[in-house]
Amino acid sequence: MKTTQTERTGPLAGVRVVELAGIGPGPFAAMLLADLGADVVRVDRPGGPGLGVDPAKDLTNRNKRSVLVDLKAPDGPAAVLDLVERADVLIEGYRPGVAERLGVGPEACLARNPRLVYGRMTGWGQDGPLAPTAGHDIGYIAVTGALGLVGPDPDGPPSIPANLLGDYAGGSLYLVVGVLAALQHARTHGEGQVVDAAIVDGTAHLTTMIHAMLLAGGWQDRRGVNLLDGGCPFYGVYATSDGGHMAVGALEERFYDEFARLLGLAEAGTGAEAGAGAGSDATALRRDLARWPELREAVAARFRSRTRAEWTEVFEGSDACVAPVLSLREAPGHPHLAARATFAEHGGLVQPAPAPRFSATPGTLRTGPALPGADTAEVARDWAVPALHPAQDVPPTQESKTA
């Protein structure tokens, strides 16, 4: 049974969003709005996005509805503008100038709906020498200095943090913040506007605290030698006897003392046993950067003496700030995440639950991934858009599933 607009819950219930189908951070930003209750209508194009992802398992399209519109067809732009007239927000992730050439750029959309928030998601932004060029997460975070922060070896290459840092942290989340701020302005002043969310801008903004530490002399401008980048022996990842890993974040003195005691550093047979005590000895060891390599080896040796499960039990419930490193498939089974229902199952698909949480207007998992064009007739009825006729309501083709 289809979920109707009146059944939607969440703090954004009643907000209408048009999403021009794309890949990566744009769809994720629209998913977040949908998780929070917005009525997100995704405008899919014939043939699909060409990612080779089964639309039925594309979780970033959950809680949305889909219509199929060919923007290159003579009546395509008019159909989208009919939706825009009834929307609060539009999200697109094309290269600069593409939406304008298709007839659905900011000028056309705001002329049709002056209160519209027009959200643009790109890597390089709408202007600048690289704006018209192709790119991906890894390049965006590279030029901002963020990629150079990641990795334990100052002489080796940086580690690649999947595409979480640029696409989603520096991209999607900044687009959502911008859209919600502009929506507040539109509702207060009746004035829509364009939100230019560039991954390079958002990622650079994420490094603000690191820049402050750099300016204050508390951060070296090289990888793997600082407090939070793997250079510190009590803020890092260590291998266990069974090939697993434990993550350590015992930064504060009292947490470090608890960590050292439970780890049993005194058993390592090095000068690091001073860390097993409390007070000035532990503080002196923690602050003596010259002894950090010695301390690191002692910590590594202790972790290599037991399995991940054994160390997890040792540190369970303590303030030592130690956690097992879990895989994506393991994470939903972690007792804390299970107790909080951080992951949920919907339609047989285990997935992260909506976040953050609201006491009065909780977000929900209402529907699974929207299949391309499957909701055309319903959206035409609910949004009163006659140009969206049932003939466009077609199931995903084999091409869209495999291309």
Side-chain angles (χ1 to χ4, degrees):
M1 180 177 179
K2 294 288 186 181
T3 299
T4 66
Q5 172 66 9
T6 58
E7 294 171 323
R8 293 174 183 272
T9 62
L12 295 183
V15 174
R16 286 180 168 180
V17 179
V18 174
E19 176 199 351
L20 302 184
I23 60 174
F28 185 85
M31 181 206 77
L32 180 50
L33 297 174
D35 283 354
L36 300 182
D39 182 9
V40 176
V41 171
R42 178 177 168 93
V43 179
D44 279 298
R45 59 181 181 267
L51 282 180
V53 176
D54 182 353
K57 295 181 179 177
D58 187 349
L59 297 175
T60 62
N61 286 330
R62 71 189 189 191
N63 286 338
K64 303 177 183 178
R65 299 190 285 181
S66 170
V67 301
L68 206 62
V69 176
D70 184 356
L71 278 169
K72 295 183 178 179
D75 60 346
V80 170
L81 290 175
D82 281 345
L83 288 169
V84 164
E85 184 177 338
R86 296 154 173 83
D88 300 289
V89 176
L90 180 141
I91 288 177
E92 62 95 354
Y94 302 144
R95 288 200 208 188
V98 171
E100 286 84 349
R101 290 197 296 273
L102 291 172
V104 291
E107 184 176 350
C109 289
L110 286 165
R112 194 71 174 267
N113 180 357
R115 298 170 62 93
L116 181 75
V117 174
Y118 194 107
R120 316 197 81 168
M121 182 75 263
T122 61
W124 302 115
Q126 296 299 312
D127 53 44
L130 294 178
T133 66
H136 278 294
D137 174 287
I138 193 168
Y140 308 140
I141 67 174
V143 301
T144 61
L147 179 60
L149 297 172
V150 185
D153 186 354
D155 299 315
S159 299
I160 302 172
N163 65 332
L164 300 176
L165 179 56
D167 278 354
Y168 299 116
S172 302
L173 298 187
Y174 277 85
L175 176 59
V176 169
V177 169
V179 162
L180 295 181
L183 184 61
Q184 168 65 17
H185 177 83
R187 291 189 164 182
T188 302
H189 301 284
E191 178 187 35
Q193 61 183 302
V194 177
V195 178
D196 175 5
I199 294 172
V200 289
D201 296 345
T203 304
H205 194 262
L206 288 171
T207 65
T208 300
M209 187 194 77
I210 304 299
H211 275 279
M213 297 173 69
L214 183 66
L215 291 171
W219 191 276
Q220 298 182 56
D221 196 17
R222 56 194 300 256
R223 182 172 52 259
V225 296
N226 297 288
L227 189 65
L228 302 174
D229 65 356
C232 171
F234 40 92
Y235 194 89
V237 177
Y238 292 91
T240 57
S241 65
D242 59 345
H245 292 85
M246 300 295 291
V248 177
L251 290 175
E252 294 84 351
E253 181 180 338
R254 65 185 185 281
F255 301 152
Y256 171 79
D257 288 344
E258 178 79 347
F259 161 69
R261 181 183 66 80
L262 291 173
L263 187 67
L265 280 181
E267 301 173 27
T270 73
E273 60 264 19
S280 60
D281 289 340
T283 300
L285 183 63
R286 290 173 66 253
R287 293 179 177 176
D288 189 350
L289 273 64
R291 297 183 65 189
W292 274 12
E294 174 189 354
L295 178 57
R296 182 186 306 281
E297 181 49 43
V299 171
R302 289 298 300 143
F303 273 118
R304 286 194 299 265
S305 69
R306 299 187 190 182
T307 66
R308 188 186 72 176
E310 289 172 330
W311 282 120
T312 299
E313 184 177 358
V314 167
F315 290 105
E316 185 69 28
S318 74
D319 280 345
C321 301
V322 178
V325 178
L326 303 183
S327 70
L328 290 175
R329 293 190 184 278
E330 290 176 315
H334 187 276
H336 181 79
L337 303 186
R340 285 184 55 81
T342 299
F343 291 84
E345 183 176 341
H346 187 281
L349 303 176
V350 176
Q351 56 197 285
R357 304 182 185 200
F358 298 82
S359 61
T361 55
T364 57
L365 278 176
R366 301 178 303 277
T367 64
L371 300 181
D375 308 292
T376 303
E378 182 182 272
V379 172
R381 180 196 70 220
D382 292 350
W383 285 39
V385 181
L388 295 172
H389 48 76
Q392 292 178 304
D393 192 356
V394 296
T397 63
Q398 186 63 30
E399 179 185 4
S400 71
K401 291 182 179 180
T402 58

